[in-house]
Amino acid sequence: MAAPRIQLSQQVIRFAGVGLVTTALHLGLFAALVRGGVGSQLANGVALVVATLVNTGINRAWTFGVSGRRRLAIHHGQALVIFAITYAATTLALALLGVVAPGASTMVQTGVVLVANVVSTAARFVAMRSWIFTEPGAALAETTAGANSAPATVPGPTDRHDPAYGDARVLGSAPSPE
């Protein structure tokens, strides 16, 4: 049986909460690295990689209801594409700041990274919801089902039957006979 999909409103709220936490992580790590003498571009890259890994892991499980190891590497690989968008936005913003205000303080640099990060957030949510955390073929099944027909049954986002997910006793149900 497919797990129920988390409603869009709940996804948006959860995504925003995860985004606030991981943006704080990104900015805090960025500021700490810059204050520690690391160049702003390198500091941004390192901080963004760490924040992206944490963001993807939390959003995968909590926001989009995906658990287990099935497609874990694929999900993180797809998140790297989104990482590239965010990294490009923040890198360009820092480069522009370097031209406009070469001696900008750490606080100003951090603010610029924040603004660029916020701009890329909408693209990240759309990509996660419509591309990364969907079952392969789910979008095609929904579009070919037609407006008046019942929704297509597509395996849910959780993979409770994946042996990597855990022991059936942990899940609270007896193993299904095969």
Side-chain angles (χ1 to χ4, degrees), residues 52 56 73-84 128 131-133:
T52 298
T56 302
I74 292 169
H75 290 155
H76 278 283
Q78 290 169 313
L80 285 176
V81 173
I82 306 309
F83 162 82
M128 285 183 164
W131 176 50
I132 297 175
F133 299 121

Side-chain angles (χ1 to χ4, degrees), residues 45-105:
V46 169
L48 188 56
V49 166
V50 171
T52 298
L53 289 171
V54 171
N55 182 286
T56 302
I58 295 172
N59 273 316
R60 183 178 192 269
W62 190 50
T63 304
F64 297 99
V66 179
S67 59
R69 293 184 203 154
R70 188 170 155 261
R71 298 180 46 85
L72 178 65
I74 292 169
H75 290 155
H76 278 283
Q78 290 169 313
L80 285 176
V81 173
I82 306 309
F83 162 82
I85 293 168
T86 304
Y87 183 68
T90 55
T91 299
L92 290 172
L94 283 170
L96 182 60
L97 178 65
V99 170
V100 174
S105 69

Side-chain angles (χ1 to χ4, degrees), residues 2-170:
R5 245 183 105 83
I6 298 169
Q7 297 214 357
L8 176 61
S9 61
Q10 284 298 311
Q11 285 179 335
V12 169
I13 291 167
R14 290 177 182 191
F15 183 82
V18 172
L20 287 173
V21 169
T22 57
T23 296
L25 172 65
H26 177 202
L27 296 177
L29 187 53
F30 170 80
L33 289 169
V34 169
R35 288 201 182 246
V38 176
S40 63
Q41 295 291 1
L42 179 59
N44 177 52
V46 169
L48 188 56
V49 166
V50 171
T52 298
L53 289 171
V54 171
N55 182 286
T56 302
I58 295 172
N59 273 316
R60 183 178 192 269
W62 190 50
T63 304
F64 297 99
V66 179
S67 59
R69 293 184 203 154
R70 188 170 155 261
R71 298 180 46 85
L72 178 65
I74 292 169
H75 290 155
H76 278 283
Q78 290 169 313
L80 285 176
V81 173
I82 306 309
F83 162 82
I85 293 168
T86 304
Y87 183 68
T90 55
T91 299
L92 290 172
L94 283 170
L96 182 60
L97 178 65
V99 170
V100 174
S105 69
T106 301
M107 183 180 287
V108 171
Q109 290 179 49
T110 304
V112 166
V113 170
L114 171 64
V115 170
N117 202 330
V118 167
V119 168
S120 67
T121 297
R124 191 173 336 140
F125 178 77
V126 170
M128 285 183 164
R129 188 170 202 289
S130 64
W131 176 50
I132 297 175
F133 299 121
T134 60
E135 286 294 316
L140 178 62
E142 288 176 9
T143 57
T144 59
N148 296 326
S149 63
T153 303
V154 177
T158 58
D159 48 5
R160 291 182 159 281
H161 301 291
D162 182 341
Y165 184 75
D167 190 318
R169 291 171 293 191
V170 174

